[in-house]
């Protein structure tokens, strides 16, 4: 993981910061579309960070493992259904059904993990009024516990890759081909995010989530069961991470490994902060921006190891100018 | 049977005891006020009744039922709703959404709609500002939101913690007028006030709280005439 953050140490080249604009421009279309696809995945995971932060003011570092557990759920289900490294010999209908099933298992796995982490790790701390820092350290600890539980009790290696379907070109956007995989991921993610946005705005649970985020004590006085709301928040974040896990396995078939959530979680967390942590639409915007930027970096700088550096450089620059993130915070209490 | 009874209620913050064996009742239909200096324990008493704090000893009954152990979020459903000190308006929700939060536990849609009409009649200003964000309302307007929101729970007992705090004199008069109106419509009110003069004039009975104990009790008129009260709380030497 460190090597990804220290690209110069590996390449050993002397001209380590030269911009290859031509490479970027000639690949601009595909790099953008693929960036948006990854961005949609980041955005779904970012929502989990943002919702929990909005309600508890807690950065749930274990969310990256909530996500990777979902990815294991997805890949186990697909393997059990007969999927493997080569494209399945199935019609489109059965493929969709199988993928839906895998997604549901992934969502259940992630949701269960998120809810368990909340009940076993965070709730006892809340009962004792633990200081903020204790929650943070616990979150990091839980993240490592889950990673190394997978490492020790399951495997230290990546799961064998699974191919869900062969992407087919769908339409041509001025020379840039958009394929069925990219289209599926972007549309599904955006639809899910709109659904969550509406749910938070309109449903009773959504009103409770916003109320607890803005003023927990007063919410209780109004009859809101804040423990139930907190649990619902973790559950929603988990469901979205599980859905993201299906799309992640679709894009990165060999990426299901015990520490595979780390980097993706970092990107998603960056997306949440970039968009304005606690802000649902911010997570979408932040995810898409991070996805595109991290996809431009390899072309511009000639080495994929630069992606992380560029993502976090942009994050820092944006936060210097707009500390509240691109869209600011709306779920939580800082909105005046 | 009294609507609300506190029997020998003590409350601690960690090791610090804030209430020392408080005993008092509120009868149905009354306006009762609690007056006392800063730090006397008025807010602590209110939070204990609404359940945000638990007594270390003693018990609380409401309509004859022991509610000492009832979770705070279930108390609005029993008929107890508090407008908290410092208003607690949800800043990122519109005025209408804030009011809706008062009815969070209710399912009677028709009754809720009736109550929106009722509170908008009591506070026409809120009707004008229905879609404004709570956080952008003025201090006095937020106080109206907090009272109106508590009314949306259709409480039998309304707890008001310093409804006149930080308000200009004409607002204070208006708030007390509305409190009287709410009471006339059948809601029992327990009121905490620094503004002892107004509070005593407007309540049936009152208690004086000093460092966590009740030191005087009586009708509003009696306490207003009490020389010690005059000196300590009414600013008359
Ligand atoms: N969270 C807390 N932790 C420790 N002590 C507290 C806490 N809240 C209140 N107290 C103490 O309990 C006592 C009673 O406080 P309370 O807020 O009930 O006073 P009050 O009568 O409402 O005062 P005010 O008129 O200033 O609102 C005070 O001495 C206060 O310092
Ligand atoms: Mg007080």
């Amino acid at each position: 993981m460190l090597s990804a953050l220290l690209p110069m140490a590996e390449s050993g080249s002397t001209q380590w910061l030269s911009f290859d604009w031509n490479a970027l421009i000639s690949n601009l279309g595909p790099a953008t579309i693929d960036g948006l696809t990854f961005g949609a995945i980041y955005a779904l995971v970012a929502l989990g960070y943002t919702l929990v932060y909005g309600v508890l003011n807690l950065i749930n570092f274990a969310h990256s493992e909530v996500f990777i557990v979902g990815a294991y759920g997805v890949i186990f289900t697909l393997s059990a259904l007969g999927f493997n490294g080569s494209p399945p010999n199935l019609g489109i209908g059965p493929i969709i059904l199988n993928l839906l099933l895998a997604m549901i298992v992934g969502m259940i796995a992630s949701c269960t993990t998120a809810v368990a982490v909340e009940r076993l790790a965070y709730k006892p701390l809340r009962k004792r009024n633990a200081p903020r820092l204790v929650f943070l350290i616990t979150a990091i600890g839980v993240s490592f516990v889950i990673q190394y539980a997978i490492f020790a009790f399951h495997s230290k290696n990546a799961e064998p890759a699974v191919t869900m379907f062969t992407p087919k070109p769908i339409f041509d956007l001025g020379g840039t081909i958009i394929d069925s995989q990219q289209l599926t991921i972007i549309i599904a993610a955006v639809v899910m995010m709109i659904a969550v946005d509406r749910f938070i705005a309109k449903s009773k649970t959504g009103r409770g989530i916003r109320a607890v985020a803005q003023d927990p004590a007063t919410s209780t006085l109004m009859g809101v069961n804040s423990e139930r709301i907190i649990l619902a928040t973790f559950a929603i974040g988990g469901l979205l991470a599980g859905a993201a896990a299906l799309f992640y396995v679709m894009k990165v078939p060999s990426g299901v490994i015990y520490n595979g959530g780390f980097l993706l979680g970092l990107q998603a967390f960056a997306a949440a902060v970039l968009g304005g942590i606690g802000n649902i639409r911010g997570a979408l915007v932040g995810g898409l921006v991070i996805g595109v930027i991290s996809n431009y970096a390899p072309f511009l700088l000639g080495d994929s190891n630069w992606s992380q550096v560029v993502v976090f450089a942009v994050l820092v620059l944006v936060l210097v100018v707009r500390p509240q993130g691109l869209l600011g915070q709306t779920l939580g209490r800082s909105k005046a | 049977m009294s609507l609300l009874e506190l029997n020998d209620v003590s409350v601690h913050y960690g090791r610090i005891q804030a209430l020392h064996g408080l005993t008092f009742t509120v009868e149905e239909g009354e306006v009762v006020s609690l007056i006392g200096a800063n730090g006397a324990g008025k807010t602590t008493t209110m939070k204990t009744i609404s359940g945000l704090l638990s007594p270390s000893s003693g018990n609380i009954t409401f309509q004859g039922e022991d509610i000492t152990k009832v979770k705070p979020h279930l108390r609005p459903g029993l008929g107890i709703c508090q407008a908290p000190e410092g208003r607690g308006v949800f800043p990122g929700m519109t005025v209408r959404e804030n009011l809706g939060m008062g009815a969070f536990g209710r399912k009677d849609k028709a009754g809720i709609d009736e109550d929106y009409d009722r509170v908008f009649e009591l506070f026409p200003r809120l009707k004008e500002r229905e879609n404004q964000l709570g956080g952008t309302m003025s201090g006095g307007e937020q106080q109206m939101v907090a009272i109106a929101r508590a009314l949306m729970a259709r409480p039998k007992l309304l707890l008001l913690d310093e409804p006149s705090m930080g308000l200009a004199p004409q607002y204070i008069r208006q708030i007390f007028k509305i409190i009287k109106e709410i009471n006339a419509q059948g809601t029992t009110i327990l009121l905490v006030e620094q503004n002892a003069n107004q509070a005593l004039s407007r309540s049936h009975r009152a208690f004086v709280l000093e460092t966590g104990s009740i030191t005087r009790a009586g009708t509003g008129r009696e306490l207003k005439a009490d020389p010690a009260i005059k000196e300590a709380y009414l600013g008359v030497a």
Side-chain angles (χ1 to χ4, degrees):
Chain A
M1 225 38 69
L2 259 184
S3 68
L5 299 172
L6 295 170
M8 323 65 120
E10 264 184 11
S11 66
S13 111
T14 46
Q15 40 149 21
W16 51 272
L17 236 188
S18 63
F19 296 95
D20 189 350
W21 290 102
N22 287 334
L24 177 59
I25 289 164
S26 57
N27 288 292
L28 197 60
T32 305
I33 296 296
D34 222 38
L36 290 174
T37 311
F38 276 108
I41 300 174
Y42 300 152
L44 284 175
V45 180
L47 267 184
Y49 285 102
T50 260
L51 285 170
V52 168
Y53 183 85
V55 168
L56 288 180
N57 269 355
L58 164 73
I59 297 165
N60 179 16
F61 279 111
H63 193 59
S64 47
E65 278 58 52
V66 165
F67 160 80
I68 205 68
V69 169
Y72 276 98
V74 166
I75 211 155
F76 289 163
T77 309
L78 289 175
S79 305
L81 291 169
F83 284 73
N84 54 39
S86 45
N89 217 343
L90 292 168
I92 182 159
I95 289 185
I96 290 177
L97 279 182
N98 283 322
L99 297 195
L100 275 179
L101 186 62
M103 181 164 83
I104 289 168
V105 173
M107 290 169 91
I108 292 172
S110 286
C111 181
T112 310
T113 310
V115 164
V117 168
E118 141 60 16
R119 278 289 122 115
L120 299 176
Y122 302 142
K123 189 178 179 185
L125 295 178
R126 274 202 308 283
K127 286 244 171 256
R128 286 153 194 265
N129 279 324
R132 195 75 63 77
L133 196 58
V134 173
F135 281 90
L136 206 62
I137 297 294
T138 303
I140 294 171
V142 169
S143 165
F144 279 113
V145 166
I146 298 176
Q147 279 188 39
Y148 288 97
I150 299 171
F151 181 97
F153 300 114
H154 175 62
S155 168
K156 63 182 178 6
N157 300 317
E159 297 301 305
V162 154
T163 305
M164 301 188 197
F165 58 92
T166 316
K168 291 208 176 58
I170 300 286
F171 55 83
D172 188 329
L173 212 73
T176 302
I177 308 291
I178 298 175
D179 69 39
S180 50
Q181 193 183 58
Q182 294 163 330
L183 205 62
T184 307
I185 294 174
I186 292 173
I187 290 179
V190 169
V191 167
M192 284 180 200
M193 301 204 57
I194 291 173
V196 170
D197 189 60
R198 294 293 81 203
F199 180 78
I200 302 284
K202 296 287 174 210
S203 73
K204 186 170 173 183
T205 303
R207 287 197 299 142
I209 289 175
R210 284 185 294 141
V212 174
Q214 292 174 27
D215 189 333
T218 303
S219 308
T220 304
L221 291 178
M222 299 300 120
V224 179
N225 181 351
S226 58
E227 286 300 319
R228 228 201 93 242
I229 291 296
I230 289 168
L231 202 63
T233 307
F234 277 89
I236 295 169
L239 291 174
L240 293 167
L246 176 85
F247 306 136
Y248 172 76
V249 177
M250 212 179 261
K251 283 301 281 182
V252 192
S254 54
V256 185
I257 182 167
Y258 73 98
N259 62 2
F262 178 78
L263 211 52
L264 190 130
L266 215 54
Q267 305 260 39
F269 174 62
V273 175
L274 184 69
I277 190 143
N279 184 320
I280 297 184
R281 291 170 199 189
L284 177 62
V285 172
L288 295 179
V289 170
I290 295 264
V292 169
I293 292 174
S294 63
N295 234 30
Y296 284 174
F299 293 105
L300 195 57
L301 295 156
D303 185 341
S304 67
N305 284 331
W306 278 103
S307 289
Q308 302 308 315
V309 180
V310 173
V311 163
F312 284 92
V314 169
L315 179 66
V316 169
L317 282 179
V318 170
L319 293 183
V320 165
V321 183
R322 267 186 77 82
Q324 72 276 41
L326 292 172
L327 300 195
Q329 186 174 346
T330 56
L331 183 68
R333 65 205 88 186
S334 68
K335 172 101 180 211
Chain B
M1 181 185 70
S2 308
L3 183 65
L4 177 78
E5 280 184 51
L6 275 75
N7 302 309
D8 203 18
V9 169
S10 294
V11 174
H12 287 75
Y13 290 106
R15 286 219 185 113
I16 302 163
Q17 184 162 4
L19 298 183
H20 300 266
L22 231 53
T23 299
F24 70 88
T25 62
V26 176
E27 307 299 328
E28 192 150 359
E30 280 187 314
V31 177
V32 173
S33 52
L34 271 178
I35 61 174
N38 294 122
K42 305 180 298 294
T43 297
T44 304
T45 307
M46 295 299 239
K47 284 183 171 172
T48 308
I49 298 168
S50 57
L52 289 182
L53 297 170
S54 312
S56 37
S57 64
N59 67 64
I60 303 173
T61 66
F62 184 70
Q63 298 185 300
E65 304 268 331
D66 189 333
I67 59 160
T68 320
K69 295 254 153 23
V70 173
K71 294 245 168 63
H73 70 266
L74 298 174
R75 296 192 191 193
L78 297 177
I80 303 175
C81 198
Q82 181 182 351
E85 186 183 23
R87 306 177 187 118
V89 167
F90 297 109
M93 293 190 186
T94 64
V95 167
R96 195 179 176 91
E97 284 180 310
N98 263 284
L99 298 181
M101 287 309 298
F104 191 78
R106 291 175 59 183
K107 296 197 172 65
D108 54 324
K109 173 98 181 32
I112 294 172
D113 287 342
E114 252 172 53
D115 285 354
Y116 274 116
D117 292 343
R118 173 178 169 226
V119 301
F120 283 141
E121 216 168 281
L122 282 170
F123 300 97
R125 181 63 152 275
L126 299 186
K127 178 72 190 165
E128 293 163 26
R129 301 294 171 109
E130 209 177 337
N131 295 314
Q132 188 173 329
L133 285 183
T136 65
M137 299 285 276
S138 79
E141 290 167 341
Q142 291 194 24
Q143 195 58 263
M144 297 179 191
V145 173
I147 298 173
R149 185 180 58 187
L151 283 177
M152 291 298 294
R154 218 181 253 195
K156 299 188 180 87
L157 174 65
L158 176 63
L159 305 172
L160 298 175
D161 193 348
E162 302 212 27
S164 73
M165 187 168 56
L167 299 191
Q170 74 266 26
Y171 266 133
I172 297 184
R173 268 194 300 278
Q174 199 190 342
I175 292 279
F176 276 101
K177 206 178 122 249
I178 289 169
I179 289 173
K180 196 173 169 195
E181 208 169 321
I182 293 168
N183 178 244
Q185 292 176 5
T187 308
T188 306
I189 295 170
L190 178 59
L191 176 69
V192 158
E193 262 303 330
Q194 297 274 344
N195 194 327
N197 192 19
Q198 283 274 3
L200 293 178
S201 315
R202 302 286 183 170
S203 16
H204 300 100
R205 288 187 305 132
F207 299 99
V208 178
L209 206 55
E210 277 173 32
T211 55
S213 305
I214 290 177
T215 52
R216 276 196 161 66
T219 65
R221 193 184 298 265
E222 282 164 10
L223 290 182
K224 239 181 134 173
D226 186 319
I229 305 257
K230 269 190 185 162
E231 191 182 333
Y233 301 105
L234 301 176
V236 190

